[in-house]
Structure formats: structure tokens, C-alpha cells
């Protein structure tokens, strides 16, 4: 009799916990859907071809984000060009070459600390070091180099975890057949770990696109489009405000419709990044299995 009562109590507690879990999951989903729906409702009326293809002009009476879109693309590309080789190379060294010990633990601890530093501090450091000491000033290059420091831990840790998932038999088998260590890393480990590496890089893109605090101190808020082919190269050394910076400025000026329009563009961009992450991870998984 006592056993049946105990079993009944356990089942009731399981049911209560299960209900609480479903409630928590439902709240998370409702919050996401609510944010997306409200942003779409407030921002859809501002979206137009003029909004996406022109820049703000008092003379023409237009408000556009084409310059901010281009600046965002510049910063994403430059940041990834610098951060990806360093991050992946660091992960390969830590996972495949460095001997476990105090040095490796110190590097990993430092990486974890870097990932937890507030972005505003990265902005202050980037302004002083890249902007003032190196003389880059308020420019897209200064902002990209600052964001490189921010996303390096993300790329490094994701690459490390991806390399750890590769079975040890792959390494020993390749080395046993006479392959050099670098050849084994290049032809076996990296292709096998590619889904995790790609995921880390695309997550870094998401953080770059959504960053604003660090860029306020480093990249500035310029929004004009280059007028010549040479201007596209020179723009790297000029001030360039991203979509998030323009969103902040619109809210400061109480331009709420325009701000929600930019927010909708950012939301679509982030959703596209997440979908691309899943697609590429699945694609590389299939290719690896084959």
C-alpha cells in the first residue's frame, strides 16, 4: 500500500515538472513570436525600395539605409578575414600541437575571459589603440579590428569543440599510414570538423551584425555611399555606421517608424544567418558521411 502511494506521488511530481517545462518552453516561443510580430507590424510600413537603396538626404527628402547596409557588409567581411584564420589556427594549435598543461589552460582561461568582457570596454580599447595609437581614427577598419577581438573567442572555442568531436582513430589511422601531421589536419580533421567551424563563423557574423556599443567608439556613424570605384577602397579608412548604429540614432531622434524598419531588416538578416547555419551544417555533415 505504501509503495503504491509512493509511486503515485512520484508520477504526480513528474507530471508537475513536465507541465512546468512545457510552460517555460511556451513562454520562450511566445516571446520570440511576439517580438517578431510586433517588429514586423511596426516596421513593414517603412520598408520600400527607396528605404533600402538610397541614403538619407535632406535635399531630396529621403530616408535610406543603403550606406549602412554597405558599412555592415564591409565590417563583416573585414572582421572575418582577420578573425577566421587566427581563430581556427589558434584552435588547431591548442588542440593538436600544444601539450596539455599550464600554458594551454592559461590560454583557454584567457579566451573565456575575453568572451565575457562587455563590448563597451572593447570599444574603448579599440578607440585608444587602433584609432589613436595606430592612427586609424574613426573608421570601418578600426571597428572591424575591434570586433575581431570580440569574436575571436567564439570562433576559437567552437573550432576547438569541433576538433574534439573527431574520433581519435582518424588521427592515428592517418599517421599510421605515413601521413604528416599537417597533411592529416588539412585533409582529415578540418573537413570532419567543418560543420562546427562553419557554425562558429556564422554565429560570429550574427554577433558582428548585432553589435553597436563597440562601434560607437570606433567606426563612427557615416552613411554616405562611395561615388567612384576608388571610393570603395578608401571607404575602409572612413567613418561608417552600421545598421545597429543607425537604429540607435533613429531612436535618439524619436524616428520610431524608421527605427522599426531598420529593426525588421536586422531581424530578417539574423533569421537568414540562423537558417544558413542549419543548411551548411547539414550539408557538410552529409558530405562528411559520404
Amino acid at each position: 500500500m505504501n509503495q503504491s502511494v509512493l509511486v503515485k506521488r512520484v508520477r504526480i511530481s513528474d507530471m508537475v515538472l513536465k507541465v512546468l517545462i512545457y510552460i517555460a518552453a511556451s513562454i520562450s516561443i511566445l516571446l520570440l513570436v511576439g517580438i517578431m510580430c510586433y517588429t514586423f507590424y511596426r516596421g513593414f510600413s517603412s520598408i520600400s525600395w527607396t528605404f533600402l537603396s538610397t541614403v538619407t538626404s535632406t535635399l531630396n527628402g529621403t530616408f535610406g539605409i543603403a550606406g549602412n547596409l554597405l558599412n555592415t557588409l564591409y565590417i563583416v567581411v573585414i572582421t572575418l578575414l582577420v578573425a577566421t584564420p587566427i581563430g581556427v589556427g589558434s584552435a588547431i594549435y591548442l588542440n593538436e600541437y600544444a601539450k596539455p598543461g599550464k600554458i594551454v589552460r592559461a590560454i583557454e582561461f584567457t579566451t573565456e575571459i575575453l568572451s565575457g568582457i562587455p563590448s563597451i570596454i572593447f570599444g574603448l580599447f579599440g578607440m585608444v589603440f587602433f584609432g589613436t595609437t595606430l592612427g586609424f581614427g574613426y573608421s570601418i577598419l578600426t571597428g572591424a579590428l575591434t570586433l575581431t577581438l570580440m569574436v575571436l573567442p567564439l570562433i576559437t572555442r567552437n573550432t576547438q569543440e569541433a576538433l574534439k568531436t573527431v574520433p581519435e582513430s582518424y588521427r592515428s589511422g592517418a599517421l599510421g599510414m605515413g601521413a604528416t601531421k599537417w597533411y592529416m589536419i588539412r585533409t582529415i580533421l578540418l573537413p570532419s570538423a567543418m560543420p562546427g567551424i562553419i557554425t562558429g563563423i556564422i554565429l560570429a557574423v550574427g554577433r558582428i551584425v548585432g553589435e553597436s556599443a563597440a562601434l560607437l567608439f570606433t567606426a563612427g556613424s557615416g552613411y554616405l555611399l562611395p561615388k567612384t570605384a576608388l571610393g570603395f577602397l578608401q571607404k575602409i579608412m572612413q567613418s561608417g555606421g552600421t545598421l545597429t548604429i543607425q537604429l540607435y540614432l533613429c531612436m535618439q531622434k524619436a524616428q520610431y517608424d524608421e527605427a522599426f524598419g531598420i529593426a525588421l531588416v536586422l531581424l530578417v538578416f539574423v533569421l537568414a544567418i540562423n537558417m544558413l547555419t542549419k543548411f551548411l551544417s547539414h550539408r557538410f555533415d552529409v558530405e562528411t558521411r559520404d
Side-chain angles (χ1 to χ4, degrees), residues 26-42 260 267:
S26 300
I27 291 174
S28 301
I29 295 172
L30 288 174
L31 285 173
L32 175 61
V33 173
I35 292 172
M36 292 176 60
C37 290
Y38 186 73
T39 304
F40 185 85
Y41 171 75
R42 290 292 304 271
F260 274 101
L267 188 61

Side-chain angles (χ1 to χ4, degrees), residues 139-160:
S139 65
I140 290 176
L141 182 61
T142 302
L145 292 176
T146 302
L147 291 183
T148 297
L149 301 178
M150 295 179 60
V151 301
L152 262 178
L154 181 61
I155 296 176
T156 302
R157 296 299 293 172
N158 273 276
T159 303
Q160 267 190 288

Side-chain angles (χ1 to χ4, degrees), residues 9 11 17 30-31 41 56 62 65 68 74 95 99 151 166 179 183 186 212 231 235 252 255 268 271 276 283:
R9 286 179 180 175
R11 287 178 178 176
L17 288 175
L30 288 174
L31 285 173
Y41 171 75
T56 302
T62 59
I65 60 171
N68 304 111
Y74 265 105
N95 206 68
K99 296 181 179 179
V151 301
V166 180
Y183 184 83
R186 180 169 55 88
S212 59
K235 189 171 180 60
Q252 241 187 358
Q255 297 175 332
V268 171
L271 289 174
L276 182 62
R283 181 181 177 86

